[in-house]
């Protein structure tokens, strides 16, 4: 693929805005290659932000495809603005269906984009339906796939995310593992050699880059009248918890037994499930609408405790040295449990969850550094430029 320049003959508002953003970095693409990045959910926006910035700085032409998996303005648009991500050249607007519906429709739509653009690489992140759809569409057209956050395993095949990440890893030509544990998981599955790179975690890159910006720009503590270290932060969104009335009820019971206020940015899907299942939030839980990335970072940095079923939030809690309770049976980030920064509280008993939260409050883990040195994005860009794994 030839290097591409932004020109006056492009069409569409987002394309023109993308050209302007590219021009601010550099008008000439140094490398004769094109990378198509596929994203669709909030955690992917964060990861892509640091990698995209690095690719642009190194003179690589990148095009973004937003599947639309997170389509609410607070779940999507605000992230693009805050993270200073160029608007996607292709917005597929696919979301709201079942896993099978979403994945199938995404594969079909992504395939059309790939046939039109014929990139040198397809870059996917994490473990969502968008991740798997991008990988499948690409490999069927013999376009190599690079997977950021490869090798993570919960060993729970009932999780849609586990299936997505396993299949994507086995389809990918280049696998960027965040930890040595992830590298070991891949090796046990027969994936090793030059295609696997232990690069560190791009979420750590993001935490370093955006943590200070959040302190300078976010006013969420003032808006919510929250005092530093005087509240807990919670997130609940995984289907294994929200689609199971007993588990969701146990989580709410556990929250009710906690002595402090709990701030809960309420995922639209979770809000809907609470209504459908006839469950009410306890009095000490303050539900708020989903927030932007910088506000979320500020809420995390300032909390006394975080309780979550999110993989990304577990790590962010560690980055900001806030004790975390994971509301799941297992976690991909086992090194945080071993290091004492995270503890599992399977949502089967409300009193056990309350106890775990109370025991975690004020606790500190070991001084560990499992996620690299904050230069994962640069290593990823260099490997893509070098074409390792093709």
């Amino acid at each position: 693929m030839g290097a591409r320049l932004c020109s006056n003959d492009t069409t569409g508002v987002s394309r023109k805005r993308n050209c302007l953003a590219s021009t601010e970095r550099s008008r000439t693409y140094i490398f004769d290659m094109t990378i198509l990045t596929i994203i669709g959910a909030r955690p992917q926006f964060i990861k892509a932000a640091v990698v995209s910035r690095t690719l642009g700085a190194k003179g690589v032409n990148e095009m973004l495809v937003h599947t639309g998996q997170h389509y609410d303005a607070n779940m999507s648009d605000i992230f693009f603005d805050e993270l200073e991500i160029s608007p996607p050249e292709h917005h597929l607007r696919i979301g709201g269906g079942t896993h099978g519906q979403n994945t199938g429709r995404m594969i079909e739509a992504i395939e059309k984009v790939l046939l039109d653009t014929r990139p040198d690489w397809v870059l996917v992140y994490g473990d969502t339906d968008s991740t798997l759809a991008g990988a499948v569409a690409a490999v069927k057209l013999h376009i190599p796939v690079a997977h950021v956050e490869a090798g993570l395993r919960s060993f729970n095949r009932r999780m849609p995310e586990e299936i997505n990440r396993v299949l994507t890893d086995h389809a990918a030509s280049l696998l960027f593992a965040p930890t040595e544990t992830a590298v070991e998981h891949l090796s046990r599955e027969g994936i090793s050699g030059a295609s696997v790179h232990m690069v560190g975690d791009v979420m750590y890159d993001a935490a370093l880059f955006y943590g200070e910006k959040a302190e300078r720009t976010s006013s969420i503590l003032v808006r919510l009248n929250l005092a530093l270290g005087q509240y807990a932060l919670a997130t609940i969104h995984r289907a294994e918890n929200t689609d199971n009335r007993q588990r969701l009820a146990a989580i709410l019971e556990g929250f009710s037994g906690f002595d402090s206020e709990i701030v809960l940015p309420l995922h639209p899907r979770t809000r809907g499930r609470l209504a459908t299942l006839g469950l009410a939030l306890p009095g000490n839980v303050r539900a708020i609408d989903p927030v932007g990335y910088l506000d979320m970072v500020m809420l995390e940095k300032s909390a006394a405790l975080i309780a979550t079923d999110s993989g990304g939030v577990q790590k962010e809690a560690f980055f900001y040295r806030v004790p975390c309770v994971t509301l799941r049976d297992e976690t991909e980030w086992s090194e945080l449990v071993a290091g004492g920064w995270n503890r599992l509280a399977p949502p089967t008993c409300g009193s056990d969850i309350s106890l775990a939260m109370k025991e975690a409050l004020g606790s500190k883990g070991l001084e560990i550094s499992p996620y690299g040195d904050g230069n994962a994005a640069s290593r990823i860009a260099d490997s893509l430029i070098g074409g390792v794994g093709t």
Side-chain angles (χ1 to χ4, degrees):
M1 283 287 173
R4 305 181 183 186
L5 295 176
C6 293
S7 62
N8 293 330
D9 63 357
T10 54
T11 58
V13 173
S14 66
R15 175 87 182 191
K16 290 177 182 176
R17 288 173 63 194
N18 196 32
C19 286
L20 289 172
S22 297
T23 302
E24 292 173 1
R25 295 191 303 260
S26 170
R27 191 162 183 80
T28 302
Y29 297 116
I30 298 171
F31 294 97
D32 187 23
M33 66 184 301
T34 298
I35 294 173
L36 191 78
T37 295
I38 296 172
I39 52 179
R42 281 171 53 139
Q44 293 168 333
F45 305 154
I46 301 165
K47 298 163 193 169
V50 291
V51 176
S52 295
R53 183 182 301 107
T54 305
L55 289 171
K58 291 178 180 287
V60 176
N61 179 29
E62 182 193 31
M63 294 184 292
L64 289 179
V65 176
H66 183 359
T67 65
Q69 186 169 336
H70 279 174
Y71 49 86
D72 179 88
N74 281 345
M75 300 290 283
S76 177
D77 294 351
I78 192 173
F79 269 54
F80 278 78
D81 292 337
E82 290 187 335
L83 298 172
E84 299 176 334
I85 305 172
S86 297
E89 295 207 3
H90 302 274
H91 198 314
L92 307 183
R93 305 187 188 283
I94 298 171
T98 65
H99 287 290
Q101 290 170 334
N102 285 345
T103 306
R105 291 167 59 205
M106 287 176 191
I107 291 172
E108 182 179 13
I110 292 169
E111 182 181 64
K112 293 178 182 177
V113 175
L114 294 176
L115 289 170
D116 288 340
T117 58
R118 286 291 177 178
D120 298 282
W121 284 98
V122 167
L123 181 61
V124 296
Y125 291 83
D127 55 19
T128 69
D129 294 341
S130 302
T131 310
L132 179 59
V136 171
V139 296
K140 293 286 187 178
L141 295 175
H142 309 292
I143 299 171
V145 174
H147 184 202
V148 176
E149 242 181 34
L152 299 185
R153 296 293 182 266
S154 68
F155 302 102
N156 178 359
R157 291 295 182 98
R158 293 181 61 84
M159 291 174 55
E161 296 86 353
E162 182 78 351
I163 301 303
N164 290 343
R165 63 172 72 107
V166 170
L167 295 178
T168 299
D169 281 343
H170 283 265
S173 298
L174 193 53
L175 300 100
F176 297 120
T179 65
E180 291 293 351
T181 300
V183 173
E184 293 169 5
H185 291 159
L186 291 170
S187 179
R188 283 196 290 270
E189 295 176 16
I191 305 173
S192 60
S195 63
V196 178
H197 286 237
M198 209 301 281
V199 297
D201 197 321
V202 292
M203 291 290 286
Y204 185 42
D205 293 29
L208 294 176
F209 188 86
Y210 292 107
E212 291 184 4
K213 183 177 180 180
E215 292 193 0
R216 292 195 311 269
T217 62
S218 173
S219 62
I220 191 149
L221 298 184
V222 174
R223 299 199 311 270
L224 297 181
N225 193 28
L226 293 171
L228 180 68
Q230 298 301 307
Y231 66 93
L233 177 68
T235 70
I236 314 167
H237 77 277
R238 287 194 182 271
E240 64 190 84
N241 288 333
T242 60
D243 289 353
N244 185 312
R245 192 182 193 283
Q246 286 184 317
R247 291 174 72 92
L248 190 54
I251 291 172
L252 298 180
E253 181 186 347
F255 287 173
S256 70
F258 189 67
D259 298 329
S260 300
E261 179 181 32
I262 299 173
V263 176
L264 175 66
L266 201 52
H267 192 286
R269 189 174 184 279
T270 306
R271 188 183 294 275
R273 294 304 296 164
L274 286 169
T276 300
L277 297 173
L279 294 172
L281 296 175
N284 65 324
V285 174
R286 191 199 319 190
I288 62 174
D289 290 333
V291 297
Y293 178 58
L294 297 180
D295 280 346
M296 187 63 178
V297 166
M298 200 62 199
L299 287 173
E300 290 170 342
K301 289 170 67 80
S302 306
L305 173 75
I306 293 175
T308 184
D309 61 8
S310 162
V313 174
Q314 292 175 52
K315 287 186 297 176
E316 287 168 340
F318 168 69
F319 296 152
Y320 303 126
R321 298 302 192 263
V322 176
C324 182
V325 173
T326 294
L327 305 168
R328 288 170 51 191
D329 300 314
E330 68 287 307
T331 178
E332 300 81 9
W333 307 107
S334 55
E335 57 276 354
L336 296 183
V337 176
W341 288 100
N342 190 4
R343 61 192 70 203
L344 291 173
T348 55
C349 173
S351 60
D352 288 348
I353 292 173
S354 296
L355 179 61
M357 293 175 67
K358 291 174 182 177
E359 289 179 343
L361 196 63
S363 66
K364 295 292 181 182
L366 302 174
E367 283 302 317
I368 56 174
S369 301
Y371 301 119
D373 56 7
N375 289 307
S378 184
R379 295 187 180 97
I380 289 169
D382 289 343
S383 293
L384 288 167
I385 291 168
V388 179
T390 55

